[in-house]
Amino acid sequence: MSFKKSFTQQEAIPDEGIEAAIEIMKSGRLHRYNVNSGEKSLTDQLELAFSQYMGVDNCLACASCGYALHIALKALGVKEGDKVLCNAFTLAPVPGAIDNAGGVPVLVDIDKQLCIDLDDLENKARASGAKYLLLSHMRGHISDMDRIMKICKDFNLLLIEDCAHTMGAKWNGKMSGSFGDVACFSTQTYKHMNSGEGGLLITPHSDVISKAIIYSGSYMLYDKHYAAPDKQAFDAVKYTTPNYSGRMDNLRAAILLPQLELLDKKCTAWNDRYFAMSDIFKTSNEIVLIERDIKEQFVASSIQFFIPALSPTQFPLLIQACEAQGVSIKWFGDSEPNGYTSKYDSWHYISDKTSLVDTERILATLIDIRIPLTFTSKIV
Ligand SMILES: Cc1ncc(COP(=O)(O)O)c(C=O)c1O
């Protein structure tokens, strides 16, 4: 008997979103600034709703999370050649955003909870003199944010949170994404809200959002933003900030708005499926699940575990055997980039990748499985 469901099948867009999308298509007003005087576009409404959900004043909807990370780094002041600390276990768009901003990624080791290694972070912050930390909450694993914030303070690091996998999650009761100077979220199909492509940037800083909005392609229409500061904040930067054109449109916002209302419920549904799966994995002597800190209120839209007994030549056989049973698994230890999965050592444009011994060892036996909500939590 093989497993019949697809590991890449997402839930349908809620009817309300489909109706709003049809409505905006009928109107022809898809561009976010195509509004009548005083009217708030769907993109404005999404920014206001997400800023309220996150408890921050400023939000910008963008073309993607990778794009949002790029302009976040630029808005925080990253210049050509500036070093940016980043965990070595992340997805390719993250070091890509650093490179795009002119920065130089300084990759930091990870620990067996798949979070950034805090001792290595301190060492590399000291040795590199970097002023930025791009912390990727990869696969929804949230670091000890109390210690992260202390390290940022001790080393004067500006913190950018990559929350592509932690929308709706918390650390010790505080929203993931509300710790940093900037946080970026993804609404690409496999994330916690789905608009095909899309990103959301939040920040408590008015000087950062004003630059980010102009970078995103506001032209001089920045006064049509509502999850944003007053005009004066823009006047200070409007002549010096280039337009890197990467806006979100009203069609995507139409699809996303009703999903935001359902987000918390969906987070619970992901965790129900995660716990059902992990209960089964716990019965195996071969599988080692990732330990999670009690303060981490994660959203498990995927599950990771180690199979320490397998050698590098056995993992491809396991992947094949699972595929034959209808089960798609990914292996982070593969030396070749594969599909969406790539390892830090395949990013050849980063020259300095010294001392990533732990990351190498940890990824060597790491398996990853997506948990789409089209699965149920019932074991049959
Ligand atoms: C950890 C992580 N960060 C950032 C991104 C970039 O998101 P986007 O595809 O919206 O640019 C991704 C995309 O998969 C990701 O997995």
Side-chain angles (χ1 to χ4, degrees):
M1 192 180 79
S2 68
F3 190 73
K4 294 284 182 266
K5 288 201 168 177
S6 164
F7 283 75
T8 52
Q9 182 59 57
Q10 306 307 308
E11 289 186 301
I13 302 301
D15 286 347
E16 219 184 320
I18 294 173
E19 281 156 26
I22 291 171
E23 199 61 33
I24 196 74
M25 284 193 285
K26 280 185 179 164
S27 80
R29 292 176 175 267
L30 270 67
H31 194 275
R32 68 166 298 159
Y33 300 122
N34 189 353
V35 282
N36 297 317
S37 158
E39 188 192 346
K40 288 190 179 76
S41 72
L42 289 170
T43 313
D44 295 320
Q45 292 173 41
L46 175 68
E47 288 169 347
L48 284 167
F50 194 67
S51 61
Q52 200 173 8
Y53 178 79
M54 290 301 303
V56 287
D57 289 338
N58 307 305
C59 177
L60 171 68
C62 303
S64 73
C65 176
Y67 177 86
L69 288 167
H70 163 226
I71 62 169
L73 291 161
K74 295 287 295 179
L76 283 173
V78 170
K79 305 256 176 328
E80 202 64 34
D82 281 353
K83 293 183 173 163
V84 181
L85 295 152
C86 181
N87 29 329
F89 179 46
T90 184
L91 232 74
V94 179
I98 299 174
D99 187 75
N100 200 11
V104 177
V106 177
L107 297 180
V108 181
D109 241 334
I110 57 161
D111 61 23
K112 62 184 190 332
Q113 287 176 285
L114 307 183
C115 294
I116 200 162
D117 182 302
L118 297 167
D119 295 330
D120 197 43
L121 175 60
E122 281 194 341
N123 291 339
K124 288 192 172 140
R126 189 174 295 112
S128 68
K131 289 289 155 252
Y132 305 92
L133 166 60
L134 201 177
L135 180 66
S136 185
H137 304 301
M138 178 63 172
R139 290 334 240 162
H141 296 273
I142 306 174
S143 306
D144 177 341
M145 292 307 296
D146 304 325
R147 219 174 129 204
I148 290 279
M149 296 318 287
K150 175 154 186 340
I151 294 171
C152 287
K153 189 159 176 270
D154 290 349
F155 291 92
N156 274 323
L157 296 171
L158 291 171
L159 175 63
I160 304 100
E161 289 185 79
D162 166 27
C163 298
H165 301 169
T166 54
M167 187 187 275
K170 292 179 181 158
W171 169 264
N172 204 17
K174 186 169 157 60
M175 299 298 294
S176 176
S178 65
F179 291 84
D181 293 285
V182 183
C184 300
F185 299 80
S186 175
T187 62
Q188 176 248 52
T189 285
Y190 298 114
K191 305 303 191 302
H192 297 177
M193 296 202 295
N194 172 13
S195 57
E197 303 287 356
L200 291 159
L201 178 159
I202 59 164
T203 174
H205 306 303
S206 56
D207 57 331
V208 174
I209 196 74
S210 51
K211 281 192 204 157
I213 286 172
I214 297 180
Y215 279 134
S216 80
S218 68
Y219 302 90
M220 293 300 142
L221 300 166
Y222 43 75
D223 58 338
K224 290 184 192 283
H225 281 253
Y226 299 89
D230 293 341
K231 199 174 162 292
Q232 291 87 306
F234 295 92
D235 288 342
V237 293
K238 68 179 180 185
Y239 298 123
T240 49
T241 310
N243 176 332
Y244 293 152
S245 202
R247 296 169 298 272
M248 185 179 276
D249 57 83
N250 288 332
L251 187 54
R252 291 198 171 102
I255 293 170
L256 290 170
L257 268 163
Q259 291 184 55
L260 184 55
E261 283 176 35
L262 298 173
L263 180 60
D264 288 343
K265 234 165 122 185
K266 287 174 70 162
C267 293
T268 307
W270 266 303
N271 286 356
D272 289 345
R273 285 151 183 76
Y274 169 87
F275 286 119
M277 285 168 88
S278 51
D279 280 350
I280 297 173
F281 291 147
K282 272 182 201 157
T283 63
S284 159
N285 292 328
E286 310 292 326
I287 290 176
V288 178
L289 287 162
I290 313 296
E291 274 174 44
R292 308 205 78 143
D293 194 300
I294 193 159
K295 291 186 180 168
E296 196 191 350
Q297 288 138 289
F298 56 84
V299 178
S301 48
S302 63
I303 186 165
Q304 294 72 41
F305 53 83
F306 302 111
I307 312 185
L310 290 192
S311 70
T313 52
Q314 289 173 309
F315 277 99
L317 301 176
L318 175 72
I319 294 167
Q320 265 177 27
C322 288
E323 208 61 61
Q325 299 285 318
V327 176
S328 298
I329 67 170
K330 284 184 278 179
W331 173 42
F332 275 107
D334 201 339
S335 55
E336 269 304 304
N338 213 328
Y340 291 102
T341 316
S342 68
K343 223 173 98 210
Y344 69 90
D345 56 4
S346 65
W347 306 329
H348 288 195
Y349 61 92
I350 305 175
S351 48
D352 182 6
K353 295 197 274 290
T354 48
S355 310
L356 293 167
V357 181
D358 288 346
T359 307
E360 192 60 37
R361 181 177 43 76
I362 288 161
L363 296 187
T365 64
L366 183 66
I367 290 290
D368 177 271
I369 307 182
R370 283 186 207 278
I371 312 181
L373 286 184
T374 46
F375 289 4
T376 65
S377 56
K378 266 200 229 103
I379 311 300
V380 283

